[in-house]
Amino acid sequence: MAKARTRKTSTRRNTGSRKKTSPARRRRSSRKGLPPWLRFLGLALALVAFVGGFVAASYVVRLDRVVVAKFAGKPFRVPSRVFSAPTIVYPGLDQHLVDLRGTLVRLGYRESSDTKNLAPGRFVWSSGRVRVHLRAFEHPTRREPARDVVFRLSGNIIEEIREFPGGREVGAVQIEPEQIGAYYGPNREQRDLVTLDEVPDHLIDAVLAVEDQRFQSHPGIDLRRIGGAMLANLRAGRVAQGGSTLTQQLVKNFFLTPERTLKRKMQEAVMALLVEVRYDKAAILTAYLNEIYFGQRGPTAIHGVGEATRLYFGKKPRELQVEESALLAAIIQSPNGLSPHRGSERALKRRNLVLELMHEQGRIDAATLERSRAIGLHLASISPDPGDARYFLDLLRRQLAEGYDSEVLTSDGLQIYSTLDRRLQRIAANSLRGGIEQLEKRYPKLKRDDPAKAVQGCLVAMRPQTGELLALVGGRSYGVSQFDRCTQARRPTGSVFKPFVYIAALEPVRGRPAITLADFLDDSPLEISTSQGAWRPENYDRKFNGRVHVREAIERSLNVATARLANDIGIARVADVARRLGIESRLPLVPSLSLGTADVSPIEIARAYATIASGGIRPETQTIEDLVDASGQTLERRRLHFERVLAPGTAFLATSLLAGVADRGTAKGVRGTGLRGPIAAKTGTTDGERDLWFVGFTPELVAVVWIGFDEPESVGVPSSVGALPIWRKFVKEATGGRIRGAFMRPKDVESVEIEPSTGARALPGCPTHHPEYFLAGTAPEQTCPDRPERRRRHREETERGFMKWLRRNF
């Protein structure tokens, strides 16, 4: 027993004497037991995890910066739009002249047969009666409310305009301006930005029903939808359904390329989550509705529901009906494949699918579903852009560049209301192109195989009283040459410069003019010494005519008589008149200037003749009425600038001379197709028939035509053959063949009967006489029959009258 106890005691003692091992010591012991390779692998994995986490975090941060930069900056490029002047319609107007039906169709108005409920943007065309529910339009100075009006027609003439249904007579109505172009960015994207307040709820419901029904609840990616799409694709054996949410679609369009790779899909998912974290659903939905692609209109990509609504329905988003909203949502999946303009059956089928989804999801009731599904596709007509205003748009852009850089014009969504008359522009383009083609057909030697070397031309039209540019065609084909011959080219003007000589001679200097319209000029051989040697002008037919009447000299465009007149009064005086009228190009003070040897642009000639047509008041050339930014703030407003540079009487005498040219002289061909009404005109053909000019004006319009080769060579015909027919066709189509108004005689001009062979005042008993115009106090003293006493008394009366006129006017 004792031994046993001793053994137990010994055992306890030994046990109590062992040292206890700490946990850290035990871990060190266990490590010493791990193989080296395993310890290295663990360290490597830890390092990889750390680096991977850092890289992933950096990647996410970088993506987040991209997201924030896009949303916080300028997320959309909105091109600046250029609009024509509004179309004004009034009683007495020929509806064909304003192309009433064509204008409505181009603006997206839809013809209807429903006369009971005619919505804005629709019209009913019947015999003798046109009813149009005009849309309201915003304009800085010509804002118009929506109004339902009836045009009553007698043939093509609008007899009266009345409001419907009240029947109140209307003096005139304005139809909204047409868009004539835009200044696009590098991707040629067109959009019209909208806010959620401007979009009907049923459009949002339609988009969400077919594109992302759980948009309001998911965090940016929808795992349930992804799983459903994978299952559907497996069953179909192809990619038949997508799993992207609306947010993912926005991310793809905003930030990513269209490639289909796993890397891009992962990037898309991460960015979608970031977008959802950063921004609320309303901001995301607004961005989506403004970014989504809706197809092409020619080379232009249509983005956003605002522009799509205008393209497909010719209206604003807030005016959409349920079935129209469903159609827009339907074509998002494949804008070009489902375009209703290309395949109406496919588009209709998918639209009805969207309506059914909206009903299944409780977004519309059964009655709305049935009513909307029963309505067919009613689309606005799409008129292809003829491109005839591109020269005008380039001119406008060059002018705008003085105050707005290219980035602003292509991305800030400015609205530029121009002076361009859409109808006149179209007529001008067709007249120029058709006229040159007829010239080549009539004279085959003018035809060139290389379009770049073909006969060229330009046509510019202006309102003389205001300087508003109404039409500008800088060449026969913008696609071949963008060089604007109306504003960028300077060519010798030939005889269209001659009226400046006659104005200088008719304008009183120190109380008396150098000539009156009853005087005669000398058309005998002339030699003038110059620094380059003797200058001997010749007439077009190489003949001399001796003593000729002033009217005859300009009506026959006699070079020698005009050159002698310019030499008598001084070439500096002629140049001064030209500059005052609006010529800004350099005018060399040489004798040949009187015959148009100076290089001048057609638009300068248009302005100078506009000054004559407006009674001596020189207008500034106007291309812009108003310029408005995207928020509706007016940035620029047209300011009309005028300056009187010629007395009204002198301007009227010049107009009378040019009216004679149109009636009896080299321009009498303008009457060849029955064009009636007041016309003043002048032909111009330079040496060797290299430049053909025709300038003419009516009381409301001045137009200039130039024809020639870019690299000067002979056209081989005079301007009466090459340029005049183009002017005549343009003005006839513009006016319908009946020119309104008259050239009004001012108070300081009197009409006196004269004897034509002597220029003497005709008294009773004079065998031949006709009326002639004179500035007050400048009528001839000599009489027919010749009566010295009468002549003395008349001289005294004239002097008294002239002194009264001086006191009254000065």
mmCIF file of all heavy atoms in Angstrom, residues 256-275:
data_model
loop_
_atom_site.group_PDB
_atom_site.id
_atom_site.type_symbol
_atom_site.label_atom_id
_atom_site.label_comp_id
_atom_site.label_asym_id
_atom_site.label_seq_id
_atom_site.Cartn_x
_atom_site.Cartn_y
_atom_site.Cartn_z
ATOM 1 N N LEU A 256 -20.443 52.837 -73.454
ATOM 2 C CA LEU A 256 -19.758 51.643 -73.942
ATOM 3 C C LEU A 256 -19.929 51.451 -75.435
ATOM 4 O O LEU A 256 -20.777 52.068 -76.075
ATOM 5 C CB LEU A 256 -20.274 50.409 -73.191
ATOM 6 C CG LEU A 256 -20.178 50.484 -71.658
ATOM 7 C CD1 LEU A 256 -20.831 49.266 -71.029
ATOM 8 C CD2 LEU A 256 -18.723 50.612 -71.210
ATOM 9 N N THR A 257 -19.126 50.561 -75.952
ATOM 10 C CA THR A 257 -19.218 50.179 -77.358
ATOM 11 C C THR A 257 -20.264 49.080 -77.506
ATOM 12 O O THR A 257 -20.619 48.399 -76.537
ATOM 13 C CB THR A 257 -17.860 49.658 -77.870
ATOM 14 O OG1 THR A 257 -17.506 48.485 -77.110
ATOM 15 C CG2 THR A 257 -16.785 50.715 -77.708
ATOM 16 N N PRO A 258 -20.787 48.847 -78.722
ATOM 17 C CA PRO A 258 -21.832 47.839 -78.901
ATOM 18 C C PRO A 258 -21.329 46.396 -78.951
ATOM 19 O O PRO A 258 -22.119 45.477 -79.157
ATOM 20 C CB PRO A 258 -22.459 48.244 -80.247
ATOM 21 C CG PRO A 258 -21.366 48.926 -80.984
ATOM 22 C CD PRO A 258 -20.547 49.636 -79.954
ATOM 23 N N GLU A 259 -20.044 46.165 -78.739
ATOM 24 C CA GLU A 259 -19.512 44.800 -78.827
ATOM 25 C C GLU A 259 -20.135 43.910 -77.756
ATOM 26 O O GLU A 259 -20.501 44.356 -76.675
ATOM 27 C CB GLU A 259 -17.990 44.813 -78.663
ATOM 28 C CG GLU A 259 -17.525 45.331 -77.305
ATOM 29 C CD GLU A 259 -16.017 45.309 -77.168
ATOM 30 O OE1 GLU A 259 -15.381 44.587 -77.948
ATOM 31 O OE2 GLU A 259 -15.489 45.994 -76.292
ATOM 32 N N ARG A 260 -20.256 42.605 -78.067
ATOM 33 C CA ARG A 260 -20.846 41.653 -77.132
ATOM 34 C C ARG A 260 -19.752 40.738 -76.586
ATOM 35 O O ARG A 260 -19.445 39.703 -77.168
ATOM 36 C CB ARG A 260 -21.934 40.827 -77.819
ATOM 37 C CG ARG A 260 -23.140 41.648 -78.228
ATOM 38 C CD ARG A 260 -24.269 40.762 -78.727
ATOM 39 N NE ARG A 260 -25.472 41.531 -79.023
ATOM 40 C CZ ARG A 260 -26.634 40.984 -79.366
ATOM 41 N NH1 ARG A 260 -26.730 39.665 -79.475
ATOM 42 N NH2 ARG A 260 -27.691 41.742 -79.610
ATOM 43 N N THR A 261 -19.167 41.135 -75.469
ATOM 44 C CA THR A 261 -18.149 40.319 -74.813
ATOM 45 C C THR A 261 -18.471 40.256 -73.333
ATOM 46 O O THR A 261 -19.201 41.098 -72.790
ATOM 47 C CB THR A 261 -16.739 40.918 -75.009
ATOM 48 O OG1 THR A 261 -16.690 42.204 -74.378
ATOM 49 C CG2 THR A 261 -16.400 41.077 -76.486
ATOM 50 N N LEU A 262 -17.906 39.229 -72.673
ATOM 51 C CA LEU A 262 -18.144 39.070 -71.235
ATOM 52 C C LEU A 262 -17.589 40.269 -70.476
ATOM 53 O O LEU A 262 -18.210 40.754 -69.526
ATOM 54 C CB LEU A 262 -17.494 37.765 -70.740
ATOM 55 C CG LEU A 262 -17.681 37.469 -69.248
ATOM 56 C CD1 LEU A 262 -19.164 37.344 -68.922
ATOM 57 C CD2 LEU A 262 -16.926 36.191 -68.865
ATOM 58 N N LYS A 263 -16.429 40.768 -70.904
ATOM 59 C CA LYS A 263 -15.824 41.913 -70.229
ATOM 60 C C LYS A 263 -16.741 43.135 -70.296
ATOM 61 O O LYS A 263 -16.956 43.836 -69.293
ATOM 62 C CB LYS A 263 -14.475 42.232 -70.879
ATOM 63 C CG LYS A 263 -13.808 43.474 -70.300
ATOM 64 C CD LYS A 263 -12.533 43.802 -71.076
ATOM 65 C CE LYS A 263 -11.928 45.114 -70.569
ATOM 66 N NZ LYS A 263 -10.717 45.479 -71.330
ATOM 67 N N ARG A 264 -17.308 43.384 -71.482
ATOM 68 C CA ARG A 264 -18.164 44.548 -71.607
ATOM 69 C C ARG A 264 -19.450 44.392 -70.803
ATOM 70 O O ARG A 264 -19.953 45.348 -70.202
ATOM 71 C CB ARG A 264 -18.503 44.821 -73.079
ATOM 72 C CG ARG A 264 -19.071 46.223 -73.294
ATOM 73 C CD ARG A 264 -19.808 46.354 -74.601
ATOM 74 N NE ARG A 264 -20.950 45.476 -74.678
ATOM 75 C CZ ARG A 264 -22.119 45.701 -74.078
ATOM 76 N NH1 ARG A 264 -22.284 46.757 -73.332
ATOM 77 N NH2 ARG A 264 -23.115 44.851 -74.196
ATOM 78 N N LYS A 265 -19.993 43.168 -70.776
ATOM 79 C CA LYS A 265 -21.213 42.933 -69.999
ATOM 80 C C LYS A 265 -20.947 43.147 -68.506
ATOM 81 O O LYS A 265 -21.795 43.703 -67.791
ATOM 82 C CB LYS A 265 -21.735 41.524 -70.246
ATOM 83 C CG LYS A 265 -22.312 41.290 -71.629
ATOM 84 C CD LYS A 265 -23.507 42.194 -71.924
ATOM 85 C CE LYS A 265 -24.717 41.832 -71.086
ATOM 86 N NZ LYS A 265 -25.899 42.676 -71.433
ATOM 87 N N MET A 266 -19.768 42.711 -68.015
ATOM 88 C CA MET A 266 -19.430 42.924 -66.611
ATOM 89 C C MET A 266 -19.281 44.422 -66.326
ATOM 90 O O MET A 266 -19.737 44.925 -65.305
ATOM 91 C CB MET A 266 -18.135 42.186 -66.269
ATOM 92 C CG MET A 266 -18.265 40.658 -66.277
ATOM 93 S SD MET A 266 -19.437 40.065 -65.059
ATOM 94 C CE MET A 266 -18.613 40.559 -63.542
ATOM 95 N N GLN A 267 -18.632 45.106 -67.242
ATOM 96 C CA GLN A 267 -18.468 46.547 -67.091
ATOM 97 C C GLN A 267 -19.834 47.234 -67.083
ATOM 98 O O GLN A 267 -20.081 48.142 -66.286
ATOM 99 C CB GLN A 267 -17.600 47.081 -68.231
ATOM 100 C CG GLN A 267 -17.157 48.522 -68.059
ATOM 101 C CD GLN A 267 -16.235 48.962 -69.186
ATOM 102 O OE1 GLN A 267 -16.119 48.278 -70.209
ATOM 103 N NE2 GLN A 267 -15.565 50.078 -69.004
ATOM 104 N N GLU A 268 -20.705 46.802 -67.967
ATOM 105 C CA GLU A 268 -22.058 47.355 -68.038
ATOM 106 C C GLU A 268 -22.802 47.163 -66.726
ATOM 107 O O GLU A 268 -23.469 48.079 -66.218
ATOM 108 C CB GLU A 268 -22.811 46.677 -69.185
ATOM 109 C CG GLU A 268 -24.257 47.101 -69.345
ATOM 110 C CD GLU A 268 -24.958 46.267 -70.405
ATOM 111 O OE1 GLU A 268 -24.543 46.324 -71.577
ATOM 112 O OE2 GLU A 268 -25.909 45.537 -70.048
ATOM 113 N N ALA A 269 -22.694 45.956 -66.129
ATOM 114 C CA ALA A 269 -23.383 45.663 -64.878
ATOM 115 C C ALA A 269 -22.856 46.536 -63.734
ATOM 116 O O ALA A 269 -23.638 47.084 -62.943
ATOM 117 C CB ALA A 269 -23.227 44.183 -64.539
ATOM 118 N N VAL A 270 -21.530 46.671 -63.649
ATOM 119 C CA VAL A 270 -20.939 47.480 -62.577
ATOM 120 C C VAL A 270 -21.378 48.935 -62.719
ATOM 121 O O VAL A 270 -21.771 49.593 -61.734
ATOM 122 C CB VAL A 270 -19.401 47.362 -62.604
ATOM 123 C CG1 VAL A 270 -18.781 48.361 -61.627
ATOM 124 C CG2 VAL A 270 -18.971 45.950 -62.267
ATOM 125 N N MET A 271 -21.335 49.453 -63.924
ATOM 126 C CA MET A 271 -21.703 50.853 -64.131
ATOM 127 C C MET A 271 -23.189 51.068 -63.881
ATOM 128 O O MET A 271 -23.606 52.129 -63.388
ATOM 129 C CB MET A 271 -21.315 51.307 -65.541
ATOM 130 C CG MET A 271 -19.819 51.308 -65.781
ATOM 131 S SD MET A 271 -19.343 51.940 -67.408
ATOM 132 C CE MET A 271 -19.337 53.694 -67.093
ATOM 133 N N ALA A 272 -24.011 50.078 -64.208
ATOM 134 C CA ALA A 272 -25.440 50.187 -63.925
ATOM 135 C C ALA A 272 -25.686 50.302 -62.425
ATOM 136 O O ALA A 272 -26.514 51.097 -61.969
ATOM 137 C CB ALA A 272 -26.179 48.994 -64.512
ATOM 138 N N LEU A 273 -24.972 49.483 -61.650
ATOM 139 C CA LEU A 273 -25.099 49.561 -60.192
ATOM 140 C C LEU A 273 -24.654 50.930 -59.684
ATOM 141 O O LEU A 273 -25.288 51.520 -58.798
ATOM 142 C CB LEU A 273 -24.275 48.451 -59.538
ATOM 143 C CG LEU A 273 -24.781 47.012 -59.775
ATOM 144 C CD1 LEU A 273 -23.760 46.008 -59.290
ATOM 145 C CD2 LEU A 273 -26.117 46.793 -59.072
ATOM 146 N N LEU A 274 -23.566 51.441 -60.247
ATOM 147 C CA LEU A 274 -23.072 52.755 -59.827
ATOM 148 C C LEU A 274 -24.072 53.861 -60.163
ATOM 149 O O LEU A 274 -24.292 54.784 -59.361
ATOM 150 C CB LEU A 274 -21.727 53.042 -60.501
ATOM 151 C CG LEU A 274 -20.539 52.215 -60.018
ATOM 152 C CD1 LEU A 274 -19.336 52.446 -60.923
ATOM 153 C CD2 LEU A 274 -20.181 52.565 -58.580
ATOM 154 N N VAL A 275 -24.664 53.778 -61.330
ATOM 155 C CA VAL A 275 -25.660 54.778 -61.727
ATOM 156 C C VAL A 275 -26.831 54.770 -60.757
ATOM 157 O O VAL A 275 -27.324 55.828 -60.322
ATOM 158 C CB VAL A 275 -26.131 54.521 -63.174
ATOM 159 C CG1 VAL A 275 -27.366 55.360 -63.491
ATOM 160 C CG2 VAL A 275 -25.029 54.836 -64.166
#
